[in-house]
Amino acid sequence: MKTFTFEVLVTLKDGLSDPQGKAVESALPSLGWTNVHHVRVGKHIKLDVDAEDETTALEQVRGMAVRLLSNPVIEDYQVLEVSPK
Amino acid sequence: MTGAVPRVGVVTFPGSLDDGDALRAIEQMGGHAVSLWHGERDLRAVDAVILPGGFSYGDYLRCGAIARFAPVMEPVMAFAERGGPVLGICNGFQVLCEAGLLPGAMIRNRSLRFVCRDVWLRVETAQSCITDGLTPGETIEIPIKHGEGQWIATPEQLADVERDMLVVFRYASRTGIVDEAQNPNGAVNNVAGIRNAAGNVVGLMPHPEHAVDPDVGPTGGQPLFASLLHMAMAGVIG
């Protein structure tokens, strides 16, 4: 059994209004950054999974992403990184 | 089993806030209120179920995302599938969406502000467990209090919801005008509450349990609880 580390990135689907992103976007010009557009705020979830091999672990993380970590109605997910320990 | 008075269960999740008011509203409207615990797979022979408002499991990850997998949700979902009346209020509405019992999802209010005030709702259909006896087009006043109440759906879901007349309430003026000025959170098409196709499952962001006592505010919640008790009774008789 090995331990694999994953990062799951959860973002609101393109086209959906992102009130948090808009708030950040409207705050940046007051700090001098007037050249920023399309700010989107998402979630970053890091987790360790014990599994026989990377393929099994990845499959499980994808299952977690679909069932719990993201809501497919409003969000997309990406499994970002795999690093065996 | 059940007597002449319908038994209405209210689930308490860790972080539920409005379970107490919901239990009280049921008793005040003539029902028998039953406390249900999130960790138990037992509905205690109730005739209707309410998922109350609050911040279940701290609303971590997404509102309702963790509560949706609570042990009590297994019998709640089976009860809903058998046609039992299930009402989700605010956080309860979010739980029902996360559970897939109702379409769509909730995101943060367009304003990013927590909104807490009385609003007017236009009744869109009488074919639901909380609008039986009401007339489409009439308006009722009850409070909202939420930070993540902007209901949205995929274009396909929204088309289905409108085609099948699944919208139960829309934010409106006192006279029933539905427009952006009356929209407190940016919900698509001013949706404040929706039902499933059968009408036995309803979710809404406003709080009818805070609007049954004339001593403390508007009483627009009374007809909704009267309807729920009536539908629960139908289950008792049926």
Side-chain angles (χ1 to χ4, degrees):
Chain A
M1 197 74 94
K2 285 186 201 158
T3 300
F4 301 90
T5 300
F6 292 88
E7 295 184 326
V8 182
L9 191 65
V10 179
T11 48
L12 274 179
K13 282 184 187 295
D14 286 343
L16 277 185
S17 92
D18 177 0
Q20 287 186 97
K22 276 192 187 134
V24 172
E25 190 171 315
S26 58
L28 288 171
S30 65
L31 299 172
W33 290 289
T34 54
N35 55 337
V36 183
H37 314 279
H38 302 120
V39 178
R40 310 285 286 176
V41 174
K43 294 189 189 94
H44 171 253
I45 300 155
K46 185 167 174 283
L47 41 86
D48 289 349
V49 181
D50 297 334
E52 290 300 328
D53 55 67
E54 191 183 312
T55 313
T56 309
L58 180 63
E59 203 172 301
Q60 290 183 356
V61 173
R62 288 204 172 121
M64 297 171 207
V66 171
R67 281 202 74 196
L68 179 64
L69 303 181
S70 76
N71 178 340
V73 175
I74 49 172
E75 294 167 327
D76 293 322
Y77 72 88
Q78 235 180 310
V79 179
L80 272 186
E81 227 179 82
V82 189
S83 52
K85 270 187 180 168
Chain B
M1 256 294 277
T2 45
V5 176
R7 291 164 60 83
V8 180
V10 178
V11 175
T12 298
F13 297 101
S16 291
L17 297 178
D18 303 322
D19 41 344
D21 268 21
L23 290 163
R24 186 171 177 276
I26 292 159
E27 293 280 338
Q28 189 164 339
M29 293 302 295
H32 179 63
V34 179
S35 276
L36 301 175
W37 185 240
H38 69 102
E40 288 174 8
R41 287 181 174 80
D42 182 8
L43 295 188
R44 301 177 63 192
V46 295
D47 308 303
V49 174
I50 293 178
L51 305 181
F55 300 88
S56 57
Y57 296 88
D59 272 351
Y60 295 136
L61 198 61
R62 291 180 309 281
C63 301
I66 311 226
R68 169 251 183 284
F69 292 106
V72 75
M73 286 304 292
E74 276 178 36
V76 167
M77 290 178 75
F79 180 73
E81 275 154 29
R82 288 198 304 272
V86 175
L87 170 62
I89 302 168
C90 197
N91 196 230
F93 183 12
Q94 294 160 337
V95 174
L96 291 175
C97 287
E98 282 285 337
L101 287 174
L102 291 174
M106 247 68 68
I107 62 171
R108 281 178 195 243
N109 295 348
R110 185 173 45 189
S111 65
L112 277 179
R113 290 197 178 89
F114 192 95
V115 183
C116 182
R117 61 180 165 90
D118 296 335
V119 294
W120 286 91
L121 304 175
R122 190 176 75 187
V123 176
E124 299 292 301
T125 175
Q127 310 296 314
S128 90
C129 68
I130 60 167
T131 52
D132 183 55
L134 278 75
T135 311
E138 74 174 284
T139 58
I140 56 170
E141 186 182 28
I142 62 178
I144 54 167
K145 46 162 195 162
H146 59 247
E148 300 195 37
Q150 181 179 173
W151 182 81
I152 56 170
T154 64
E156 299 77 34
Q157 283 181 326
L158 184 60
D160 288 350
V161 162
E162 293 291 0
R163 186 199 59 220
D164 299 338
M165 300 177 74
L166 302 185
V167 179
V168 179
F169 302 108
R170 292 184 210 272
Y171 300 108
S173 69
R174 179 193 292 259
T175 55
I177 295 165
V178 171
D179 60 19
E180 268 309 302
Q182 314 299 332
N183 192 335
N185 55 29
V188 63
N189 294 1
N190 281 42
V191 168
I194 53 172
R195 64 181 177 102
N196 66 350
N200 65 304
V201 179
V202 174
L204 79 169
M205 285 314 295
H207 289 266
E209 80 282 18
H210 297 332
V212 292
D213 189 337
D215 286 344
V216 293
T219 54
Q222 285 187 0
L224 311 191
F225 275 93
S227 166
L228 185 68
L229 291 172
H230 179 70
M231 299 306 269
M233 203 62 204
V236 176
I237 298 160

